[in-house]
Amino acid sequence: MDGPVQIPFKSFIHLNPKESTALYLQLVFEFIKAIQMGVLPGGTKLPGTRILCRLLSVNRNTLIKAFEDLELQGYIETKANIGTFILSDQRPQNAVKGYSSNPSQGSATQTGFDFKRSSVLEDPKEVSNLPFQFNDGLPDLRLVHTDVLARLYTSKLKRRKNTRSWQEIQAYAHSSFKDQFANFLNLTRCLRISTSNLLTASSHEISLFLATRLLLNPGDKVVVASPGYYLSNMTLSDGGAQIIPVSVDGEGMNTDHLREICQKHQIRLLYLTSNYHYPTTIPLSAKRRMEVLEMAEHFGFVILEDDYDFDFHYDNSPILPLAAFGNSKRVVYVGSFGKSLPSGFGWGFIVAPAVFIKELEKHQNILEPGIDVIKEQVLTDWIQDGEVHRLSKKNKKTYKERRDLFVALLNEKLKDHVRFQVPHRGLAIWVEWLDRFNLINLQKVCAANGLFLPKTILYQTKTVTATRLGFGHLDHQEMTKAVEILASSLHAVLAGNPKYS
């Protein structure tokens, strides 16, 4: 294999200081691209940072920051007193072998045309093969009742005899599905809607994208909670919105702060996770719900209410969305259905005034022109026959037991080191650390002990050190081991292990 200095890095690492993307992030993206294409095979030893800085014409601090990010993502490994090596386990099997010294040949960074590049829409998800992992609150796919869905799906596929045309079948099935789904939302969320107030989409993300596409123009001011949901913030920012953060406390979004902002700026939209704030899991208090609705009317902004986790509430009287209130004419309600179903069976939806829904459908017809008739028929029967309520009740019992076990483990293993509120819904707990330490150091020690903490669940500012720990995907044994590793790793960090201090 060629020595590290012989590799023509400038032929495939292309940096543009004039771009809005930070230079260290450009380095990260370019190295990942080279690794995934096979330009930098596994085991390749990289030059020392000083040599590589000279080759790439970058500041050493910039390169070191990029290498730290690449190492956290598992693309490189630094061995003390030996060097830095490429780990290319994530390279696709059809990767290009070797490298081209000509930038116009064999390089994905070169094209014969210009196109828009987003410095916002980067995939934040990380993949790890560690035996134990936390996430930000995902369901356990092992609990999916595939037998029920398989039975319903098979029964629909076997019904071949039908005198109607395919267009008639599509229209009838979709109309029937919307009827059942509107009734389901009215029953579970105390809404008062008809099918004209409802748009269904293939996912929650598509629903959010469609709503923001119609509501926002570049330069519009949008208020979001801080800390907030990184994926929705990315969607809003990429659409050209000017984001204004509002603080969050023990009652949810701070409405006094919101009022101050509205008095200074012309706000177009308020993005709000009112029932289960992401990431802190705190619901907006009843008093503040009324204040938000009144301010929307007074200052003329739209409330985009995202109820992303309604499926997982653990009491018989869940907090209702703002869309259920009588004075909710300025609320566009976005939600999800079937998050614990197999991939492809979940659904996203938007509830809003009929004229807005009609306009949304124009855009959806381009983005999602086809209707999955069989899927809609299956979910229609699933709702109509009451299976959705029965299985939801069964799953919620399991997840409530897991929540209670997780709370007990946190109190037992991390006593005097954490504080948290027990959430009434959702599959994650917002844990604030009482000790002052660097979360990245904790992440490294946990990884060395077999526990993966993705960066998307780590929150650290001058005043807050917190982690959003998802428990829903862990059974009793997995959860116990994960919390034990977390506790022992914390003690190692606090003990001042020099490797992670």
Side-chain angles (χ1 to χ4, degrees), residues 376-442:
E376 289 197 341
Q377 288 181 324
V378 167
L379 292 181
T380 299
D381 286 356
W382 201 56
I383 295 172
Q384 194 169 18
D385 295 345
E387 286 283 356
V388 61
H389 298 288
R390 185 181 67 82
L391 296 179
S392 174
K393 185 177 180 180
K394 184 177 180 180
N395 277 347
K396 281 192 286 189
K397 180 182 178 183
T398 300
Y399 286 126
K400 183 178 184 298
E401 290 172 352
R402 292 186 178 185
R403 181 203 64 179
D404 295 343
L405 172 62
F406 194 51
V407 167
L409 287 169
L410 290 175
N411 285 326
E412 177 189 350
K413 305 293 183 181
L414 289 164
K415 185 179 180 182
D416 301 327
H417 294 288
V418 298
R419 65 167 170 249
F420 58 88
Q421 291 186 19
V422 180
H424 296 290
R425 62 189 296 182
L427 302 178
I429 293 181
W430 175 255
V431 175
E432 294 187 20
W433 302 92
L434 303 179
D435 306 287
R436 296 301 297 170
F437 61 91
N438 190 311
L439 280 175
I440 297 299
N441 293 344
L442 177 64

Side-chain angles (χ1 to χ4, degrees), residues 284-438:
L284 192 66
S285 68
K287 177 177 178 292
R288 291 186 178 182
R289 287 167 177 274
M290 295 298 102
E291 289 176 345
V292 166
L293 288 170
E294 290 169 2
M295 277 191 273
E297 192 66 32
H298 179 75
F299 293 105
F301 60 78
V302 180
I303 301 172
L304 182 56
E305 183 180 19
D306 189 350
D307 199 0
Y308 66 96
D309 237 359
F310 187 92
D311 289 350
F312 308 107
H313 59 82
Y314 305 121
D315 50 41
N316 295 324
S317 303
I319 299 174
L320 299 179
L322 297 178
F325 290 77
N327 53 341
S328 59
K329 294 180 180 179
R330 289 187 170 272
V331 176
V332 174
Y333 179 53
V334 178
S336 62
F337 166 77
K339 286 187 69 174
S340 59
L341 294 179
S343 177
F345 275 94
W347 220 277
F349 64 87
I350 301 175
V351 170
V355 64
F356 183 72
I357 294 296
K358 190 172 183 179
E359 189 65 26
L360 279 172
E361 289 172 343
K362 298 177 185 177
H363 294 263
Q364 187 187 31
N365 288 337
I366 297 173
L367 194 62
E368 296 183 315
I371 296 174
D372 190 336
V373 175
I374 302 300
K375 174 183 171 182
E376 289 197 341
Q377 288 181 324
V378 167
L379 292 181
T380 299
D381 286 356
W382 201 56
I383 295 172
Q384 194 169 18
D385 295 345
E387 286 283 356
V388 61
H389 298 288
R390 185 181 67 82
L391 296 179
S392 174
K393 185 177 180 180
K394 184 177 180 180
N395 277 347
K396 281 192 286 189
K397 180 182 178 183
T398 300
Y399 286 126
K400 183 178 184 298
E401 290 172 352
R402 292 186 178 185
R403 181 203 64 179
D404 295 343
L405 172 62
F406 194 51
V407 167
L409 287 169
L410 290 175
N411 285 326
E412 177 189 350
K413 305 293 183 181
L414 289 164
K415 185 179 180 182
D416 301 327
H417 294 288
V418 298
R419 65 167 170 249
F420 58 88
Q421 291 186 19
V422 180
H424 296 290
R425 62 189 296 182
L427 302 178
I429 293 181
W430 175 255
V431 175
E432 294 187 20
W433 302 92
L434 303 179
D435 306 287
R436 296 301 297 170
F437 61 91
N438 190 311

Side-chain angles (χ1 to χ4, degrees), residues 59-122:
N59 181 278
R60 188 163 179 261
N61 290 335
T62 300
L63 183 66
I64 290 174
K65 190 174 182 181
F67 272 19
E68 288 175 349
D69 203 311
L70 287 166
E71 188 166 16
L72 283 173
Q73 295 188 53
Y75 285 99
I76 65 174
E77 178 184 20
T78 301
K79 298 180 180 180
N81 302 320
I82 299 178
T84 300
F85 298 85
I86 297 295
L87 300 175
S88 57
D89 296 342
Q90 298 164 30
R91 188 181 69 220
Q93 292 182 353
N94 60 348
V96 179
K97 294 183 179 180
Y99 52 79
S100 170
S101 59
N102 185 345
S104 64
Q105 297 178 359
S107 173
T109 62
Q110 299 295 318
T111 66
F113 53 87
D114 294 328
F115 58 95
K116 292 194 295 183
R117 297 180 65 180
S118 173
S119 61
V120 177
L121 295 179
E122 303 297 345

Side-chain angles (χ1 to χ4, degrees), residues 54-187:
R54 188 170 66 251
L55 292 172
L56 297 176
S57 303
V58 296
N59 181 278
R60 188 163 179 261
N61 290 335
T62 300
L63 183 66
I64 290 174
K65 190 174 182 181
F67 272 19
E68 288 175 349
D69 203 311
L70 287 166
E71 188 166 16
L72 283 173
Q73 295 188 53
Y75 285 99
I76 65 174
E77 178 184 20
T78 301
K79 298 180 180 180
N81 302 320
I82 299 178
T84 300
F85 298 85
I86 297 295
L87 300 175
S88 57
D89 296 342
Q90 298 164 30
R91 188 181 69 220
Q93 292 182 353
N94 60 348
V96 179
K97 294 183 179 180
Y99 52 79
S100 170
S101 59
N102 185 345
S104 64
Q105 297 178 359
S107 173
T109 62
Q110 299 295 318
T111 66
F113 53 87
D114 294 328
F115 58 95
K116 292 194 295 183
R117 297 180 65 180
S118 173
S119 61
V120 177
L121 295 179
E122 303 297 345
D123 187 358
K125 295 177 182 176
E126 302 167 81
V127 178
S128 171
N129 59 1
L130 291 176
F132 302 99
Q133 304 188 19
F134 278 116
N135 56 46
D136 66 350
L138 299 177
D140 190 345
L141 296 182
R142 295 170 296 186
L143 298 178
V144 171
H145 302 277
T146 52
D147 55 333
V148 177
L149 288 170
R151 185 178 71 247
L152 290 171
Y153 213 92
T154 302
S155 68
K156 293 299 178 186
L157 289 172
K158 286 182 177 180
R159 293 180 187 176
R160 297 178 181 176
K161 295 182 180 181
N162 203 312
T163 57
R164 295 175 176 172
S165 68
W166 184 245
Q167 289 78 10
E168 289 176 320
I169 294 173
Q170 280 187 314
Y172 173 78
H174 187 59
S175 175
S176 178
F177 171 68
K178 286 191 71 174
D179 282 337
Q180 289 297 325
F181 198 70
N183 290 337
F184 174 78
L185 293 177
N186 287 337
L187 177 64

